[in-house]
Amino acid sequence: MALSIFALIGHKNGAADDSAFELAAAAKAIDAGASVTAVVCGAGSELDSVCQAVSATYPTVWKVNHAALAYPNAEALRPALAKVLPKGAIVLMAHDTLGMDLGPGLSIKLDAAFVPDVVGIDGLDGNVLKLVRQEFGGQVSTHIQCDIGDGAVINVRSGAFQPTGDAVSGSVVDKSGDVGDIQPKRKYLETVVAEVGDVDITKADVLVSVGRGIEDQENISIAQELADAIGAVVSCSRPIVDAKWLEKSRQVGTSGKTVKPKVYIALGISGSFQHLGGIKGNPFMVAINKNPKAPIFQVADVGVVTNLLEFVPELTERIKEKK
Amino acid sequence: MEILVCVKRVPDTAENEIVVNSSGSDIERGDLVYSVNEWDNYAVEEAIQIRDRVGGSVTVVTVGDEESEEVLRREMAMGADKGILISDPAFEGSDGKGIASILKAEVEKGKYDLILTGAQADDGAAQVGGMLAAMLDLPFASLVNKIEIVNDKTIKVGREVEGGNQEMNEISLPCVLSIQTGINEPRYVGIRGIRKVASVEIPVHKAADLGIDPAKVGKAGAKVKKVDYFIPPAGKGAEILEGSSEEIADKLIELLKAKGGIK
């Protein structure tokens, strides 16, 4: 029997997120014969352009228009989806800040299994869905078996699946009437936009980026001196901002800035997907890290396995000598 | 305000290299240094700061083996008032839903206004807080990086969303929040602090104490099972530069020049 798979579509200002098309590919990887429905929740006329955009990828699109869904508040979306979705549904959504807010609780409300942050799908064996996840910031992977007999909520990592590009001519079905009354106990107030710092790392051609491997606030100067010597700007990964060693405006990653440099030099950065998600444009990447197993070496072009606290000052001196 | 913080003892990734064992059944745990999950530590610090501002108490709870007691003591040395260890062989192999249902039983034994978890732990799942909230029918917010107490019925919370933006929400109490790192600066815990709480009794709650059916938790109740650990086949990977540090530096300089990395 073919499965019923539902993909929750993220969207902003009338445009579907990239993940909307990745989820269609993930659904195919679960069961190529499944009937796959896009679910577009929100309020107002901007839903129509989203529905139209995804109807070129999904054969069926459910439109759920409700005033309480104007802002994607998981506390309103969860009860709405619990009413709209059929029992036993397989629900896919992006493992982004909305998916993390919504998915775990939705699985409880649907009495379904939940698997977060899925990076690979190895297919279906009866009621057992075989998936791949990562642990310890991507240092190791795990095979997961999930019993989907009573349905499942699967959060899929952004960028893990490539859109197939298959075009269909889908139809839009209005499901707004199924939602009924929603009284969320959490109210969206406003979005405070991240501060722009003294340096705009998004405009830099060359970034010297520091991570936890820099070990101490005092050692940030090692990165700064290298950056000064080559005309680069210093950026960083999340732990450096958490430790308050550099401003938030210097942070590269999904919870920081998206950068598009030509050259990216990663000093003591392990390379979590959240960090790599903030690096676009396929720069020439150099990784310097003492842990040869650091995931950053999988994506870098050139690596040096060494103690950066000793090596980088040497490198900086050498660059100055040669100038 | 009565605050419960759910914590977990995990391998400290800053101190360890994580390696898969020969059979792939687990990671090599023999030489691992364990610590409290980093996100949980921020949650405990936040709870202590709220208690110090508005009064009340902070309880830390963990589901784990007897060694997990050490992380409870560590968090009590930070300033948490009470610790509870939930431990039973029946809980082994629980999936996220199993852990959340065990914590639900504990929450229902007390009366808490605010329940905090770390946003995620070693397995990067970020699931227990949201599940616990749904089981308790309480409102939930994830990735919280700001908490402002408005009154005893309402608080304002900031969520860290894409691009480093902060989504501000009003949420009614009681509620469950998952805490993001960077919300505060967790205080340092010295040996002396840990000694001070070394003899404080920490109650151990078993499945029977919490009225939990062993068949619904642990491996038996898990719909999501971890089959094995593995290292994915390496992709292209970086070209690793070898030689003396001088030779490596020279090669690197050459490459950087060619790619426009030296101005």
Side-chain angles (χ1 to χ4, degrees):
Chain A
M1 191 195 80
L3 288 177
S4 291
I5 302 180
F6 296 84
L8 181 70
I9 305 300
H11 58 91
K12 210 175 283 163
N13 305 324
D17 294 348
D18 291 347
S19 61
F21 308 100
E22 297 168 13
L23 293 179
K28 274 219 169 81
I30 292 173
D31 179 0
S35 88
V36 187
T37 302
V39 183
V40 182
C41 300
S45 56
E46 67 170 43
L47 280 186
D48 294 326
S49 57
V50 181
C51 289
Q52 199 187 349
V54 296
S55 68
T57 299
Y58 292 89
T60 312
V61 180
W62 284 7
K63 175 173 135 178
V64 182
N65 184 357
H66 192 289
L69 304 175
Y71 181 86
N73 173 357
E75 293 300 298
L77 270 168
R78 202 177 298 115
L81 289 169
K83 278 188 200 153
V84 171
L85 294 168
K87 206 173 156 35
I90 310 296
V91 187
L92 307 183
M93 66 180 82
H95 191 66
D96 54 16
T97 63
L98 175 63
M100 284 188 241
D101 221 27
L102 174 65
L106 181 64
S107 76
I108 300 300
K109 294 303 178 195
L110 296 174
D111 203 14
F114 178 68
V115 187
D117 193 22
V118 166
V119 300
I121 296 172
D122 289 343
L124 203 56
D125 184 0
N127 270 343
V128 176
L129 179 59
K130 295 186 280 184
L131 303 162
V132 178
R133 295 192 67 249
Q134 294 181 338
E135 296 195 0
F136 298 101
Q139 290 192 65
V140 292
S141 297
T142 61
H143 288 112
I144 301 289
Q145 291 191 348
C146 173
D147 177 354
I148 61 165
D150 296 321
V153 176
I154 311 285
N155 278 25
V156 178
R157 181 180 296 182
S158 297
F161 292 86
Q162 294 304 315
T164 57
D166 300 348
V168 297
S169 180
S171 53
V172 179
V173 181
D174 196 326
K175 288 277 179 179
S176 312
D178 292 1
V179 175
D181 190 33
I182 305 175
Q183 300 281 353
K185 291 183 197 161
R186 180 177 122 198
K187 198 173 94 190
Y188 168 72
L189 301 173
E190 59 171 335
T191 298
V192 182
V193 176
E195 276 175 40
V196 180
D198 49 347
V199 180
D200 188 354
I201 61 170
T202 66
K203 301 252 156 61
D205 276 345
V206 186
L207 286 170
V208 173
S209 210
V210 290
R212 215 191 275 268
I214 201 83
E215 289 180 13
D216 200 313
Q217 183 165 20
E218 285 173 12
N219 297 334
I220 301 278
S221 61
I222 292 174
Q224 188 61 56
E225 279 157 23
L226 173 61
D228 290 345
I230 61 175
V233 168
V234 171
S235 58
C236 65
S237 65
R238 173 172 197 114
I240 301 300
V241 174
D242 285 345
K244 314 255 189 295
W245 294 350
L246 284 172
E247 296 285 309
K248 178 92 183 158
S249 59
R250 300 248 186 187
Q251 184 193 329
V252 175
T254 51
S255 64
K257 298 270 185 263
T258 299
V259 297
K260 308 175 282 295
K262 292 196 180 87
V263 174
Y264 192 82
I265 304 174
L267 305 180
I269 289 178
S270 66
S272 71
F273 79 89
Q274 291 95 338
H275 182 74
L276 299 174
I279 306 170
K280 302 288 182 205
N282 197 22
F284 179 71
M285 194 186 292
V286 178
I288 303 177
N289 199 306
K290 66 180 173 189
N291 177 4
K293 303 250 169 64
I296 190 88
F297 288 121
Q298 288 303 314
V299 294
D301 295 283
V302 170
V304 184
V305 180
T306 186
N307 179 352
L308 74 95
L309 302 179
E310 286 165 18
F311 176 72
V312 174
E314 268 186 67
L315 175 66
T316 305
E317 276 313 304
R318 201 89 183 142
I319 290 167
K320 284 187 190 160
E321 277 169 25
K322 293 201 168 189
K323 273 200 165 175
Chain B
M1 188 162 296
E2 296 304 308
I3 310 173
L4 181 73
V5 190
C6 309
V7 303
K8 184 180 181 187
R9 178 176 180 266
V10 299
D12 184 343
T13 47
E15 298 284 334
N16 303 291
E17 197 181 302
I18 305 296
V19 180
V20 178
N21 71 9
S22 55
S23 69
S25 62
D26 198 356
I27 55 170
E28 287 285 2
R29 294 191 187 263
D31 298 324
L32 290 184
V33 177
Y34 281 79
S35 181
V36 66
N37 173 40
E38 190 180 356
W39 285 265
D40 302 345
N41 205 41
Y42 283 90
V44 173
E45 175 65 37
E46 194 63 20
I48 292 168
Q49 289 187 16
I50 293 169
R51 178 204 62 195
D52 291 349
R53 283 203 301 276
V54 303
S57 78
V58 176
T59 303
V60 284
V61 63
T62 191
V63 181
D65 56 17
E66 51 193 40
E67 288 189 90
S68 294
E69 204 194 272
E70 74 185 25
V71 303
L72 295 175
R73 283 201 199 281
R74 192 197 175 281
E75 303 307 290
M76 288 164 74
M78 274 175 83
D81 302 276
K82 275 183 283 183
I84 300 170
L85 174 62
I86 306 179
S87 190
D88 196 306
F91 299 156
E92 271 172 43
S94 292
D95 61 4
K97 199 171 178 180
I99 298 292
S101 67
I102 295 162
L103 289 168
K104 169 183 182 266
E106 183 61 51
V107 170
E108 285 175 335
K109 276 176 73 92
K111 196 175 179 339
Y112 301 101
D113 305 296
L114 188 58
I115 298 154
L116 306 182
T117 69
Q120 60 169 344
D122 50 346
D123 55 5
Q127 61 186 348
V128 170
M131 289 176 168
L132 178 61
M135 287 175 179
L136 292 163
D137 266 323
L138 294 179
F140 172 66
S142 64
L143 303 162
V144 169
N145 64 358
K146 183 181 186 169
I147 300 179
E148 205 180 298
I149 308 294
V150 178
N151 55 44
D152 60 0
K153 292 197 176 60
T154 310
I155 60 175
K156 280 185 188 173
V157 298
R159 294 184 62 233
E160 187 185 81
V161 294
E162 278 74 15
N165 296 339
Q166 188 182 46
E167 176 199 285
M168 293 303 300
N169 295 270
E170 197 170 75
I171 189 165
S172 62
L173 293 174
C175 69
V176 181
L177 307 176
S178 87
I179 303 297
Q180 179 60 294
T181 56
I183 186 174
N184 52 40
E185 291 177 70
R187 66 198 67 192
Y188 174 75
V189 179
I191 285 286
R192 194 178 298 174
I194 294 187
R195 270 199 208 122
K196 259 191 190 163
V197 296
S199 57
V200 178
E201 201 182 321
I202 293 179
V204 180
H205 293 171
K206 296 188 170 301
D209 302 324
L210 298 172
I212 293 169
D213 177 358
K216 296 222 164 117
V217 293
K219 214 168 187 170
K223 283 184 185 172
V224 179
K225 293 190 171 80
K226 200 181 296 178
V227 181
D228 64 2
Y229 284 86
F230 68 102
I231 302 289
K236 179 177 67 80
E239 178 202 343
I240 302 294
L241 301 183
E242 314 266 2
S244 70
S245 58
E246 236 171 54
E247 287 163 1
I248 293 174
D250 285 346
K251 269 188 230 166
L252 205 49
I253 290 166
E254 208 176 293
L255 284 165
L256 286 172
K257 273 194 179 142
K259 300 288 179 183
I262 297 182
K263 287 180 195 161

